[in-house]
Amino acid sequence: MSAAPLIIVAGARPNFVKVAPLLRELATRALPHLLVHTGQHYDHAMSGVFFQQLAIREPDVHLEVGSGSHATQTAAIMVAFERYVLGLPQAPRGVVVVGDVNSTMACALVATKLHLRVAHVEAGLRSRDREMPEEVNRIVTDAIADLLLVSEPDGMTNLAAEGHAPRARYVGNVMIDSLVAQLPAAHALDVPGRFGVTGAPYVVVTLHRPSNVDSAERLAALVGLLRDLARLVTVVFPVHPRTRQRLSDHGFLTTLAAEPRIRITEPLGYVEFLGLLESARVVVSDSGGIQEETTFLGVPCVTLRTTTERPVTISAGTNRLAGDDLERALHVVREILAAPMPSPAHIDGWDGEAARRVVDVLAREWA
Ligand code: UD1
């Protein structure tokens, strides 16, 4: 590649884990690049700590868009990103977006309309549930990006079905690169010790999807599920800011804090969270990425959603969808507690080397 820089976009918590190995690989090969932080996530707990722990360098620009409705946030990212790109002294070589958050789609749209090449890392995932904002972000980004860099086998099938096969390349999972790199540090921290659960079975819970936390009725049912779970095992619950706000609005935070076997905590840093996941007996979550991390680690996961865009986690035998039915979720957790732990799954390209393959493709195809 010649001197024109690549632009790497990161906006929200799950993005940071994905850009870290890419930035490391670009730096190793001395390939010029610019890091754009859109500011979709801005708290230390949601952003700063990830930069520290994953040794992500200072962004070249921080667009500081902050929170808002989808239209407000997406529009703010688009306006600020376009202004930034147009103000650069030299046209970039192309723009790399990762994952499925609003920043991913917003920057892909801006770049395409500026006639810049776009690469989408983690392309091809489909839940087929368009009520999930991330699904819309995925479909739009894959429709317009020039290079679709795919993390799991179903992604290739999905892209082929949509007529995108010529642009798709299988590279594996960059999020697993971060996991592989940080697991020794995570293990050394003895995170279970901080929650008083070393050697004991515990369940890790994370919840942040609007479909779970935005309605008072659903949230009340989830609080009921956590109390039922706490009768079986200790519950460790790092609370996303959106969820904390909703729990607090309805007075549920005090209910949960009063439960002796529920440990409520702020969102954890990446390394701490990994240390917690690694030794968990089971995870109950509505996250996308955690389904993959638990599959790699061989930790059972119960996903509180009706669909998944990551079906390989189901076929690997670690992840089960509980749908909307929280009775079923509790039943599945009971089954898991009575069964032996599953084995870690070996999925093609989930090996700590995905960023190298991404940069190989970029160097070759955008030479
Ligand atoms: C976003 C992503 C989601 C990803 C999740 C991980 C989209 C559409 N959603 O959802 O795919 O799984 O990040 O966390 O892009 N807030 C803070 N501090 C922050 C960021 C947010 O307090 O640093 C609060 C704000 O009140 C905000 C709320 O959390 O309104 C939700 O944040 P937002 O960025 O809208 O979406 P997430 O639910 O975090």
Side-chain angles (χ1 to χ4, degrees):
M1 280 195 244
S2 73
L6 280 171
I7 292 181
I8 310 295
V9 176
R13 185 168 65 174
N15 286 170
F16 308 136
V17 185
K18 294 166 196 168
V19 299
L22 294 174
L23 293 165
R24 202 166 40 245
E25 187 66 25
L26 290 167
T28 305
R29 301 198 202 180
L31 294 173
H33 57 281
L34 298 166
L35 174 61
V36 174
H37 188 331
T38 66
Q40 182 176 342
H41 284 170
Y42 42 88
D43 285 351
H44 180 73
M46 301 297 285
S47 171
V49 68
F50 285 75
F51 276 69
Q52 266 170 22
Q53 296 189 339
L54 295 163
I56 304 175
R57 67 177 175 80
E58 274 295 304
D60 293 278
V61 65
H62 198 304
L63 304 179
E64 292 179 357
V65 299
S67 304
S69 70
H70 284 271
T72 304
Q73 188 176 62
T74 306
I77 297 166
M78 290 181 71
V79 170
F81 185 63
E82 183 185 60
R83 190 173 297 141
Y84 173 70
V85 174
L86 291 176
L88 289 172
Q90 178 186 24
R93 171 165 306 278
V95 176
V96 179
V97 296
V98 301
D100 56 15
V101 302
N102 288 343
S103 300
T104 310
M105 178 188 72
C107 294
L109 261 173
V110 168
T112 302
K113 292 201 169 188
L114 292 175
H115 306 155
L116 295 171
R117 293 179 289 204
V118 175
H120 181 207
V121 173
E122 202 186 83
L125 301 184
R126 295 290 183 271
S127 67
R128 301 193 170 73
D129 172 5
R130 291 197 183 194
E131 287 188 12
M132 277 180 80
E134 294 81 2
E135 181 72 354
V136 179
N137 293 341
R138 293 180 200 114
I139 293 169
V140 171
T141 305
D142 288 343
I144 59 178
D146 300 274
L147 270 177
L148 302 175
L149 303 168
V150 177
S151 57
E152 68 165 83
D154 295 275
M156 295 300 278
T157 317
N158 294 335
L159 291 173
E162 293 174 25
H164 301 323
R167 292 179 284 130
R169 312 282 181 273
Y170 194 83
V171 290
N173 193 331
V174 288
M175 198 183 64
I176 301 299
D177 291 10
S178 282
L179 190 160
V180 168
Q182 300 291 334
L183 197 55
H187 191 73
L189 283 181
D190 183 25
V191 184
R194 294 191 198 177
F195 296 100
V197 290
T198 305
Y202 60 91
V203 53
V204 176
V205 175
T206 80
L207 297 168
H208 75 281
R209 296 236 164 259
S211 57
N212 275 326
V213 304
D214 283 1
S215 110
E217 202 185 341
R218 177 72 176 169
L219 201 55
L222 283 163
V223 168
L225 173 67
L226 297 196
R227 297 173 80 183
D228 288 341
L229 287 173
R231 285 189 199 102
L232 305 174
V233 279
T234 304
V235 175
V236 184
F237 181 22
V239 186
H240 183 286
R242 166 199 285 280
T243 312
R244 178 170 289 273
Q245 187 61 51
R246 301 292 189 274
L247 286 169
S248 158
D249 290 347
H250 301 292
F252 292 138
L253 217 46
T254 31
T255 317
L256 290 175
E259 291 279 338
R261 286 228 283 184
I262 300 184
R263 313 279 150 83
I264 302 257
T265 168
E266 293 299 312
L268 298 179
Y270 177 68
V271 182
E272 287 81 5
F273 190 70
L274 197 52
L276 192 64
L277 270 192
E278 181 204 20
S279 301
R281 184 63 182 79
V282 50
V283 176
V284 173
S285 172
D286 59 8
S287 158
I290 291 172
Q291 297 172 61
E292 296 181 341
E293 289 164 336
T294 48
T295 292
F296 185 82
L297 292 167
V299 172
C301 182
V302 179
T303 298
L304 297 177
R305 288 171 40 189
T306 48
T307 58
T308 180
E309 62 289 340
R310 294 163 159 95
V312 75
T313 62
I314 308 277
S315 52
T318 51
N319 185 23
R320 289 173 67 180
L321 291 182
D324 288 331
D325 182 350
L326 299 184
E327 288 289 325
R328 178 171 149 71
L330 187 64
H331 174 74
V332 172
V333 170
R334 279 184 207 280
E335 278 182 3
I336 289 170
L337 292 175
M341 288 293 274
S343 304
H346 298 285
I347 293 154
D348 187 23
W350 295 25
D351 57 0
E353 299 288 327
R356 184 177 53 71
R357 290 187 289 270
V358 167
V359 177
D360 282 346
V361 172
L362 294 175
R364 191 170 59 238
E365 305 206 21
W366 288 0

